[in-house]
Amino acid sequence: MELNWVEYIGLTAGTLTTAAYLPQVYKTWRTKAVGDISLTMYTSMTLGILLWLVYGIFIKAPAVIAANSVSLALVGGMLRLKIVYGRREKAARKLRQGQ
Amino acid sequence: MELNWVEYIGLTAGTLTTAAYLPQVYKTWRTKAVGDISLTMYTSMTLGILLWLVYGIFIKAPAVIAANSVSLALVGGMLRLKIVYGRREKAARKLRQGQ
């Protein structure tokens, strides 16, 4: 294959865009602060990555399946953290306001 | 093409994962609060999406090129917002601490 190095670009791209979620998950898990994070972003991203995974299974593309399985776990995890910590922040805010 | 509906799954997936950044960019632009956002995530994501774009150009895949061009603009925009507002937050914190 003459253009095999092109596939290395794709692999590097997939590694970077998947691994990107790791520092965000770690930061959020550590600080438990999610006020600046968009719930709509992580909902749409989780659904989209789930569909990429389904697409990868249908077209039998191992790289698409692998990258999106890992991404789904990380982005789904962020969605969960946003919902759980978001509820806590809201409850704490109400308590402070004496509602 | 028998499996054309599979391509619709891919298109829907790409639309969702690209559009996902819009509400985050809007929220950040509106609140100017970036404390909970990971700089490492948006740096890695911007580099990764840039490489996906290069990959798409090499394999001549219009869907990959289109989705990643839009994503690059949005994620690159978020990276810029994180850096600019992050600096402002840091400066404001130092002022409050009288340093």
Side-chain angles (χ1 to χ4, degrees):
Chain A
M1 282 201 287
E2 201 191 337
L3 282 185
N4 210 342
W5 57 272
V6 171
E7 286 309 310
Y8 280 104
I9 296 179
L11 277 175
T12 310
T15 305
L16 281 170
T17 51
T18 298
Y21 292 111
L22 269 175
Q24 180 67 67
V25 171
Y26 176 69
K27 182 187 180 101
T28 304
W29 172 79
R30 191 170 47 82
T31 62
K32 294 173 178 41
V34 294
D36 307 341
I37 304 281
S38 163
L39 176 66
T40 319
M41 168 179 164
Y42 282 93
T43 307
S44 174
M45 196 60 89
T46 303
L47 277 174
I49 290 172
L50 186 67
L51 285 186
W52 274 127
L53 183 58
V54 172
Y55 176 78
I57 292 168
F58 273 120
I59 68 165
K60 297 185 180 64
V64 176
I65 296 171
N68 285 290
S69 299
V70 180
S71 291
L72 186 62
L74 292 169
V75 173
M78 263 306 292
L79 180 60
R80 201 182 138 75
L81 291 180
K82 166 69 185 173
I83 292 169
V84 172
Y85 295 149
R87 269 194 210 135
R88 279 193 207 166
E89 281 177 3
K90 211 173 171 179
R93 210 161 42 235
K94 279 200 174 172
L95 267 180
R96 278 197 304 273
Q97 292 173 343
Q99 286 176 334
Chain B
M1 287 200 284
E2 202 191 335
L3 281 183
N4 210 339
W5 57 273
V6 171
E7 286 309 309
Y8 280 103
I9 297 179
L11 277 174
T12 311
T15 305
L16 281 170
T17 51
T18 299
Y21 293 111
L22 270 175
Q24 180 67 68
V25 171
Y26 177 68
K27 183 188 179 97
T28 304
W29 171 79
R30 192 169 46 83
T31 62
K32 294 173 180 41
V34 293
D36 307 340
I37 304 280
S38 163
L39 176 66
T40 319
M41 167 177 164
Y42 283 93
T43 307
S44 176
M45 197 60 89
T46 302
L47 277 174
I49 290 172
L50 186 67
L51 284 186
W52 273 128
L53 183 58
V54 171
Y55 176 78
I57 291 167
F58 273 120
I59 68 165
K60 297 184 178 67
V64 177
I65 296 171
N68 285 289
S69 299
V70 179
S71 291
L72 186 62
L74 292 170
V75 174
M78 264 304 293
L79 180 59
R80 201 183 138 76
L81 291 181
K82 167 68 186 173
I83 292 169
V84 173
Y85 295 148
R87 269 195 209 134
R88 280 193 207 166
E89 281 176 4
K90 208 172 172 180
R93 211 161 43 236
K94 278 201 174 171
L95 266 180
R96 279 196 303 273
Q97 293 171 344
Q99 285 175 336

